[in-house]
Each structure stands twice: as structure tokens, then as C-alpha cells.
Amino acid sequence: MSDNIEKVKCLIIGSGPAGYTAAIYAARANMNPVLYQGNQPGGQLTTTNDVENFPGYPEGITGPEMMLQLQAQAERFGTDIRNGWITKVDFSGDVHKVWVNDETEIHSDTIIISTGASAKYLGLESEQKYLKLGGGVSACAVCDGFFYRNQEVVIVGAGDSACEEAHYLSKLCKKVTMLVRRDEFRASKIMAERVKNTENIEILYNTETDEVLGDGQVVTGVRVFNNQTKEKQEIPATGFFVAIGHKPNTDIFKDYLDLDETGYIINAKPGTSKTNIEGVFVSGDAADHVYRQAITAAGTGCMAALDAERYLAAKDASFEVNTATNY
Ligand SMILES: Cc1cc2nc3c(=O)[nH]c(=O)nc-3n(C[C@H](O)[C@H](O)[C@H](O)COP(=O)(O)OP(=O)(O)OC[C@H]3O[C@@H](n4cnc5c(N)ncnc54)[C@H](O)[C@@H]3O)c2cc1C
């Protein structure tokens, strides 16, 4: 091994709520964590203005502000936070190897993967415009549905998640129009039935989005077209929800870790953060296709740091857990 290769006890990949929480716990347990932020420092929450459901902020907080606070908390205990993108890993040996920006090689006893997932969007210019403005486009009904109470919204998607989100919105909104591209749902029968039986959900089959309409600041409606008849119509709406799936950021791990068919990392032992490779742990949305919330990401970040700490303690008797400050 070259002398130039940096050797660390704990390397955290990702700077969302999972990564920063793992860093807070790992730093307080004497693991001297190094955290790579990736190309989205602060993670997905930096793309939203209002976070109203993270405990501890009774007045709500903006996503970027909250993530700066998490970063400061991780730094306070000595986390070494760095810019950089992990481009390659090698988990075949006892020591786990990672490469930063295809250049720097680092060896780490433990790895905590917190690389999150990215919501898929349709890619329409108007959709992206109002998404960036924070003006009514969202990929998370549980996060943003509350802002559309008693209003009319449109949701795109036909799978189980789309049905669940449409049903969630129906309890808050006056009317939910659901756009289904084919002449049937992709979702399980039970989920589809639940949506079909909800009074304030209107389902438009064979229907796709032509354009998200707005006044330059916020969404005012959606123009849709029937892909059989080509007929267009405009639906008034203040919210446009996209529920066509997520892509976990896990491609670089696929040669070593067990992933499900979508790419989510599979927990080797349910109820822990362990993967199929000893010393490699996962937290947050990279392994979670069910909850996908900041608080659950933070919770599993804590679990990953504690699991990593116990792994180190079992492997190396000289590693002393800093029990005085950790709990
Ligand atoms: C618009 C929007 C609004 C939301 N609102 C809320 C809300 O109000 N409340 C709520 O609880 N949840 C909300 N969510 C969901 C929440 O943001 C996620 O559940 C949470 O951020 C997941 O945290 P995470 O740490 O797992 O990953 P992420 O936040 O996705 O962070 C992933 C991190 O990994 C890094 N990364 C990825 N690949 C690499 C790599 N190869 N090398 C280095 N770094 C890498 C990225 O740069 C990023 O820093 C919202 C999501 C979106 C998109």
C-alpha cells in the first residue's frame, strides 16, 4: 500500500440529514469521521423552502437553513467535512477503499452510505421552472401536501406510491385530479381500488401532462392531453405533484452490495443499518423506499454510526468508544 493513501476509521458518504446525523454520533464516539458532501451539499432538503415537520422547529425552517445547522453541529464535534464526489469503491477486502473524484484513494475501516435518492420528474420546462421557484411543483405529498389544504391539486403517477400520495392529498385538498398514462393503474389492486373509491379524487386515464401553467411565480393549473384522442384540457390547480418514482444514488455500490430491483440498498439484517458487507452501513433514503423523510433519514444515520462504532469496538480492542459523551 502506498504511503500516500489516507487511512480513516469512518468515512461517511453524503451530507443530507442521514450523513450529518451519522457524523454527529460518530464524531462524539471518537471515530474521527470524514464526510464527503457530494454535489448537493445538504442533500434534498436544500431544494425546499419550508420544512414544517422536523421536530424542534415549532415555527418551521427553510431546508437550506436547517441543513447548515446540522452541518455546524457535525463540525462542532470534529467531523472533517470535505467537498468531493465518491466515484468508485472497492469493498472486496477487509479494508474498504473509496476514490474521491476518480483521484484520491482513501481506506476506511467503516463506511456509512448516506447517498440518498433523487425524485424523478417529467422533465418539462414549465415543471422545472415552478419546481425551482418553489411555486407549486412537488415530488413529496407528505412533505408539501399541507400547503395545499382545501385547494385543488393534480398528481401524476399510477403506481402504489402515487396511489398512496393521492389518497394522502385527498384528505387535505378539496379535489385531487390523478393523471394515469395508460388505461389502467400499475399499482396493486387494493391501492388502485382505494383511490377509485375516494370521492374527491378524479382519475383521468390515458392522460399526460402537456404543460404546467402558472403566473410566472406560482402554479395556476395544468394542461393535459389524452394520448388516444389527442384532446387537450386545462385543469385549475395550485399544486402539481409528481409521483413517478425515485432513483436511489447507489450505482457505484452495485458490484458489492445487495440492491433491490430499483437500486435501494437492502439491509442485511432488518432493524439495523448493516449491509451484506461487514463494516459497510447504510442510512437514509438510499435504503428507504417507504418513509423517505428527513427525520427517518436522521434516525437511521444515528443507527449507522452506532452500528459502525460497535463494529470497530469488536474488531479492535484498542478502539475506545467515547461513552462519556455519546449518550
Ligand atoms: C422538494 C423536497 C421537499 C422535501 N420536504 C421534506 C419535508 O418537508 N420534510 C421531510 O421530512 N422530508 C422532506 N423531503 C424528503 C427529505 O429531503 C429526504 O427524505 C431526506 O433528505 C433524505 O436524506 P438522506 O440524508 O438520506 O439523503 P439526501 O438528502 O438525498 O442527501 C444525499 C447526499 O448524498 C450526497 N451524495 C450522493 N451520491 C454521492 C457520492 N457518490 N459521493 C458523495 N456524496 C454523494 C449528495 O450530495 C447529498 O448530499 C423533501 C424532499 C424533497 C425533494
Side-chain angles (χ1 to χ4, degrees):
M1 184 199 305
S2 149
D3 286 345
N4 295 330
I5 294 175
E6 187 182 9
K7 173 103 182 56
V8 301
K9 280 199 195 90
C10 176
L11 189 125
I12 300 169
I13 312 175
S15 54
Y20 282 146
T21 305
I24 293 166
Y25 276 77
R28 296 183 79 241
N30 283 346
M31 290 162 74
N32 307 323
V34 169
L35 180 149
Y36 277 92
Q37 290 183 310
N39 62 0
Q40 192 177 43
Q44 291 174 63
L45 276 190
T46 57
T47 64
T48 187
N49 276 330
D50 303 289
V51 181
E52 295 199 326
N53 54 10
F54 199 90
Y57 298 103
E59 307 302 327
I61 184 162
T62 71
E65 223 178 324
M66 184 178 132
M67 294 317 298
L68 284 176
Q69 291 191 4
L70 284 186
Q71 177 176 342
Q73 195 172 352
E75 280 169 335
R76 180 180 154 213
F77 299 110
T79 307
D80 182 349
I81 295 176
R82 302 176 184 175
N83 288 320
W85 182 252
I86 306 302
T87 44
K88 195 173 113 182
V89 301
D90 179 351
F91 295 158
S92 59
D94 224 20
V95 169
H96 308 304
K97 302 174 183 175
V98 305
W99 282 262
V100 185
N101 300 334
D102 278 329
E103 285 173 359
T104 319
E105 181 177 347
I106 302 182
H107 292 186
S108 185
D109 294 319
T110 61
I111 304 277
I112 297 179
I113 298 170
S114 315
T115 49
S118 309
K120 291 185 193 162
Y121 290 93
L122 300 175
L124 295 170
E125 208 177 297
S126 52
E127 169 207 60
Q128 291 302 305
K129 174 179 159 185
Y130 288 104
L131 174 68
K132 287 192 184 108
L133 283 170
V137 173
S138 170
C140 180
V142 175
C143 311
D144 296 329
F146 193 71
F147 301 119
Y148 301 91
R149 279 188 319 278
N150 302 320
Q151 299 173 40
E152 299 191 9
V153 299
V154 169
I155 183 167
V156 181
D160 277 340
S161 294
C163 289
E164 197 166 294
E165 302 221 344
H167 193 251
Y168 181 88
L169 290 170
S170 73
K171 287 185 269 168
L172 296 165
C173 304
K174 196 155 77 181
K175 183 177 174 195
V176 178
T177 305
M178 193 167 189
L179 310 183
V180 175
R181 195 158 46 138
R182 294 190 297 163
D183 60 356
E184 58 180 4
F185 278 93
R186 244 185 334 101
S188 58
K189 198 159 182 285
I190 187 164
M191 295 299 286
E193 284 307 315
R194 190 196 284 175
V195 166
K196 288 179 194 170
N197 293 332
T198 303
E199 214 173 305
N200 62 340
I201 300 181
E202 182 183 3
I203 303 160
L204 301 181
Y205 293 101
N206 296 316
T207 302
E208 297 182 42
T209 310
D210 194 40
E211 192 168 352
V212 179
L213 307 170
D215 63 5
Q217 290 301 315
V218 295
V219 170
T220 55
V222 183
R223 188 168 60 236
V224 302
F225 66 97
N226 183 301
N227 55 29
Q228 303 298 305
T229 64
K230 307 295 174 212
E231 198 183 320
K232 292 189 181 183
Q233 64 167 304
E234 287 185 10
I235 304 167
T238 48
F240 181 68
F241 287 85
V242 186
I244 56 173
H246 284 74
K247 177 159 182 2
N249 304 316
T250 56
D251 283 355
I252 53 168
F253 310 115
K254 66 177 187 299
D255 291 341
Y256 300 96
L257 299 185
D258 293 340
L259 310 179
D260 73 9
E261 69 279 3
T262 315
Y264 287 99
I265 296 172
I266 297 172
N267 282 117
K269 195 168 169 212
T272 74
S273 67
K274 294 177 185 174
T275 69
N276 56 301
I277 301 277
E278 293 260 306
V280 178
F281 305 90
V282 62
S283 58
D285 285 11
D288 175 13
H289 58 92
V290 179
Y291 302 105
R292 292 195 296 249
Q293 292 295 292
I295 187 67
T296 45
T300 53
C302 157
M303 288 164 65
L306 293 179
D307 286 341
E309 175 199 308
R310 284 166 195 162
Y311 168 83
L312 276 180
K315 196 174 161 214
D316 175 5
S318 67
F319 172 69
E320 281 186 27
V321 173
N322 187 0
T323 46
T325 55
N326 201 24
Y327 303 107

